[in-house]
Amino acid sequence: MNSTNRIKLSLMMFLEFFIWGSWFVTLGTFLGKNLAATGSQTAAVFSTQSWGAIVAPFIIGLIADRYFNAEKILGVLHLVGAVLMYQMYQAPDVTVFYPYVLGYMILFMPTLALVNSVSFNQMKDPEKEFSVIRVCGTIGWIVAGLLISFVFHWDSPEGITAGLLKNTFMMAGVASLILGLFSFALPATPPKGSTTEKVKISDLLGLDALKLLKDKNFAVFFISSILICIPLAFYYQNANPFLSGIGLDNPTGKMTIGQMSEVLFLLLLPVFFTRFGFKKTILVGMLAWAIRYVLFAYGNASDLSFMLIIGIALHGICYDFFFVSGQIYTNSKAGEKYKSAAQGLITLATYGIGMLIGFEVAGLITDSYKLADGTADWKMVWIIPAGIAFVVFLLFALVFNDKTKTEELKTA
């Protein structure tokens, strides 16, 4: 890959995740403070991510893979996304806000696959080249959080009271406009699918990989993947409102520690994986979810603030040791015929079904533990997902018994 394309792809990935990090991290706080949303209404808004993940394969499979260049579709989706972001910026209440965020997420979730497609199309050795490009996305997410907290102070108590969090949508909209226009200058990524070949719904959703569920251990992993996404949804939906509500300074900026740890543990994952194998690695990831929520339940913004920081920093273990390990395991079990279908199925199970259930549960729990002054009983809000994560940990530890060797997983 030449240096010009490397710079273009790096900037594309930076903007892609800068956009997402600009508004999604503070969304829960914005909904509660600016739009006076209930827990259930907040859950419905966050669930649009899951609906976007469910619809994404149809957009990619029916359009991007068959008729148009990926970079052009990426450009169009982000230009329309910029318009929707502006509408979200202006929305006076949740009822007006919801249709715009639903439309936006249906358009945005497919772009996560499109930026990968554009990147891979330019690479001769993706295993060596992609990580350098992809890390620019994580940097983009981190920069967005640092800007919100340390430059603009939109998430300060004064900024939240003044309603300044709505500006996150304007920032995301401007970045979306820039990426939309810039996409047309990206390297050409023509469609690879045949326009005459009949498309099956089972192919788009990876349903052919359901045959893998005949393997008891893969079925346990599949069910565990759905269940662990329930506590995961609590973090996305409640972490920023929680940290802001208890008075932690610069909460959005401090939450970027999670992305920094994600980069670190992604580098450590191969070492851990080789020494301890898949089961122990994924169990550590599951247990980390329970530990981080216990830290959130008993930490505070003053003398025990270190517990909150440790909980945030555990994000790298929570995400990498479960999700990335799970992708490697799925790839090893699928075989050549079902590799793509199996990854699609796991994505549908986690970001689709699992997160959809998780956001609904998180909303119900948050509403159930509302105090008289309108704040939440955060201790209970975090203890419950900690308990769910620990139950999933025990289920997987006791029932999963795959003897596949680490070497087989690495070479599959």
Side-chain angles (χ1 to χ4, degrees):
M1 187 194 317
N2 62 51
S3 58
T4 300
N5 283 343
R6 184 177 291 107
I7 292 171
K8 285 183 177 181
L9 296 178
S10 298
L11 180 57
M12 172 195 71
M13 201 67 75
F14 177 91
L15 288 170
E16 174 78 9
F17 286 89
F18 177 89
I19 292 165
W20 202 1
S22 291
W23 68 280
F24 196 70
V25 176
T26 57
L27 177 60
T29 305
F30 167 80
L31 292 171
K33 298 296 184 180
N34 287 53
L35 304 186
T38 64
S40 296
Q41 288 173 325
T42 300
V45 171
F46 272 92
S47 295
T48 59
Q49 175 187 268
S50 299
W51 291 117
I54 292 170
V55 173
F58 293 94
I59 295 179
I60 299 300
L62 291 175
I63 301 175
D65 286 345
R66 293 165 61 81
Y67 296 108
F68 303 104
N69 281 24
E71 80 280 1
K72 292 180 180 177
I73 298 176
L74 180 68
V76 171
L77 293 180
H78 275 298
L79 289 175
V80 177
V83 176
L84 292 173
M85 272 290 160
Y86 182 70
Q87 297 299 326
M88 291 155 68
Y89 166 78
Q90 290 191 308
D93 55 52
V94 177
T95 305
V96 175
F97 183 85
Y98 180 80
Y100 293 123
V101 71
L102 176 62
Y104 181 83
M105 291 307 278
I106 288 174
L107 295 180
F108 179 79
M109 294 306 287
T111 68
L112 297 173
L114 287 171
V115 293
N116 289 344
S117 296
V118 173
S119 298
F120 287 134
N121 192 61
Q122 299 301 313
M123 295 177 183
K124 294 179 180 179
D125 190 352
E127 289 186 8
K128 292 182 179 179
E129 296 177 286
F130 182 68
S131 61
V132 179
I133 301 297
R134 176 57 184 82
V135 77
C136 292
T138 303
I139 293 171
W141 185 292
I142 291 171
V143 170
L146 295 178
L147 285 175
I148 290 170
S149 281
F150 297 107
V151 177
F152 300 124
H153 307 291
W154 291 335
D155 63 344
S156 65
E158 299 79 14
I160 292 173
T161 301
L164 298 183
L165 279 178
K166 67 181 293 187
N167 293 328
T168 59
F169 300 100
M170 183 63 76
M171 183 167 73
V174 171
S176 188
L177 176 62
I178 293 170
L179 180 52
L181 296 174
F182 177 68
S183 294
F184 293 97
L186 291 170
T189 308
K192 292 183 171 60
S194 171
T195 58
T196 58
E197 184 180 350
K198 186 177 180 181
V199 179
K200 295 188 295 184
I201 300 299
S202 60
D203 292 337
L204 295 176
L205 297 180
L207 298 183
D208 287 343
L210 286 172
K211 298 183 176 92
L212 296 173
L213 295 178
K214 293 178 181 178
D215 181 332
K216 188 204 80 169
N217 287 302
F218 188 83
V220 171
F221 164 70
F222 182 81
I223 294 169
S224 299
S225 296
I226 294 175
L227 294 178
I228 203 67
C229 282
I230 297 175
L232 170 61
F234 276 77
Y235 182 75
Y236 284 149
Q237 188 165 312
N238 287 330
N240 194 265
F242 160 66
L243 297 172
S244 300
I246 65 172
L248 185 70
D249 292 334
N250 305 307
T252 311
K254 287 177 179 173
M255 284 181 70
T256 63
I257 294 171
Q259 277 63 50
M260 296 175 193
S261 76
E262 189 180 324
V263 175
L264 173 63
F265 285 106
L266 192 57
L267 297 174
L268 293 176
L269 181 60
V271 178
F272 202 95
F273 208 75
T274 301
R275 289 195 62 183
F276 301 104
F278 169 71
K279 182 176 180 178
K280 290 180 180 178
T281 301
I282 205 166
L283 282 172
V284 169
M286 291 177 173
L287 188 59
W289 283 108
I291 293 172
R292 90 183 307 187
Y293 289 153
V294 170
L295 290 170
F296 281 0
Y298 291 97
N300 59 47
S302 53
D303 58 317
L304 297 179
S305 61
F306 72 92
M307 296 174 68
L308 305 179
I309 299 301
I310 294 172
I312 294 170
L314 281 173
H315 183 73
I317 299 177
C318 293
Y319 186 85
D320 293 337
F321 279 34
F322 182 84
F323 285 96
V324 179
S325 294
Q327 290 164 2
I328 295 171
Y329 175 72
T330 299
N331 187 67
S332 72
K333 301 300 288 185
E336 286 299 326
K337 185 177 180 182
Y338 296 116
K339 281 186 187 292
S340 296
Q343 294 293 343
L345 183 64
I346 288 298
T347 300
L348 180 67
T350 52
Y351 284 98
I353 299 169
M355 295 285 276
L356 197 62
I357 297 170
F359 287 132
E360 183 65 26
V361 172
L364 291 173
I365 295 299
T366 304
D367 277 343
S368 298
Y369 288 97
K370 283 284 186 184
L371 301 175
D373 61 359
T375 60
D377 180 355
W378 288 116
K379 183 176 180 180
M380 287 306 301
V381 169
W382 293 123
I383 286 294
I384 290 172
I388 296 172
F390 189 67
V391 169
V392 179
F393 167 83
L394 291 177
L395 168 71
F396 194 81
L398 295 173
V399 183
F400 185 88
N401 194 31
D402 198 325
K403 300 297 184 182
T404 304
K405 296 180 180 179
T406 302
E407 289 76 13
E408 294 176 35
L409 290 175
K410 288 165 64 181
T411 58

